[in-house]
């Protein structure tokens, strides 16, 4: 077994490390800031119609035919994105039932009928055996979002250590 032991004699550094240890037990404030940042980043993706990695979404037929935006016809999905912060984690998501279909894509087939039948935006009816909805990821961590989380975390750490009188 290899062990390294350090003894810090600087009172300000000891105070800062103690404050950091106490604060890291409940990071709800930081997690809430991160959650708000992730929701904001997701909202921006609906504006730019891009995935977290910057890939453009494939335009929907409705958006193409009506001149609207993909995934924002009534803005239900976009407006439903929220976050929940805890002491050591943050979750971002939605309770909209069709959200996963748009995030990951899906092929829809009839359960009991021989075909699907639905109306297009132009009023025409279509009958088909299946419909494939491409993935249009909207939730996820972009490079810019990761940089923003780094900045939030550093600011949180500075606030903690500054409040303790330590200059870490």
């Amino acid at each position: 077994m290899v062990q390294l032991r350090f003894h810090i004699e600087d009172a300000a550094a000891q105070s800062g490390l103690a404050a950091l240890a106490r604060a890291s037990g409940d990071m709800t404030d930081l997690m809430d800031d991160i959650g708000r940042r992730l929701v904001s980043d997701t909202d921006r993706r609906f504006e730019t119609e891009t995935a977290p990695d910057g890939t453009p979404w494939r335009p929907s037929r409705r958006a193409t035919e009506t001149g609207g935006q993909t995934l924002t016809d009534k803005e239900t999905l976009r407006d439903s994105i929220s976050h929940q912060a805890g002491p050591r984690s943050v979750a971002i998501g939605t309770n909209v039932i069709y959200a996963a279909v748009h995030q990951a894509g899906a092929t829809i087939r009839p359960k009991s009928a021989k075909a699907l039948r639905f109306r297009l935006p132009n009023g025409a009816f279509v009958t088909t055996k299946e419909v494939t909805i491409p993935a249009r990821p909207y939730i996820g961590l972009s490079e810019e979002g990761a940089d923003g989380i780094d900045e939030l975390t550093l600011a949180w750490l500075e606030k903690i250590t500054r409040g303790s009188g330590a200059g870490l």
Side-chain angles (χ1 to χ4, degrees), residues 46 50-52 56-62 69-78 80-81 94 96-108 131-139:
F46 280 90
T50 55
W57 293 340
R58 183 172 153 202
S60 67
R61 185 168 184 169
R62 182 213 41 90
Q69 287 187 286
T70 299
L71 299 186
T72 58
D73 184 29
K74 295 182 176 78
E75 297 189 12
T76 303
L77 178 60
R78 180 181 185 168
S80 73
I81 307 299
T94 174
V96 172
I97 196 165
Y98 54 81
V101 168
H102 290 301
Q103 176 77 15
T107 298
I108 302 170
V131 172
T132 300
I133 298 174
R136 296 181 178 105
Y138 50 91
I139 291 180

Side-chain angles (χ1 to χ4, degrees), residues 4-85:
L4 293 174
R5 290 186 182 200
F6 294 94
H7 179 73
I8 299 173
E9 294 186 16
D10 183 279
Q14 285 179 347
S15 176
L17 290 171
L20 183 58
R22 283 191 305 276
S24 64
D26 184 359
M27 300 183 290
T28 304
D29 289 344
L30 172 61
M31 295 297 132
D32 192 44
D33 288 345
I34 290 171
R36 279 196 299 276
R37 171 65 190 246
L38 292 171
V39 169
S40 174
D41 288 352
T42 301
D43 188 63
R44 195 168 19 266
R45 281 194 275 284
F46 280 90
E47 290 174 17
T48 61
E49 299 182 61
T50 55
D53 68 1
T55 305
W57 293 340
R58 183 172 153 202
S60 67
R61 185 168 184 169
R62 182 213 41 90
T64 302
E65 289 182 10
T66 64
Q69 287 187 286
T70 299
L71 299 186
T72 58
D73 184 29
K74 295 182 176 78
E75 297 189 12
T76 303
L77 178 60
R78 180 181 185 168
D79 291 344
S80 73
I81 307 299
S82 63
H83 76 281
Q84 185 172 8

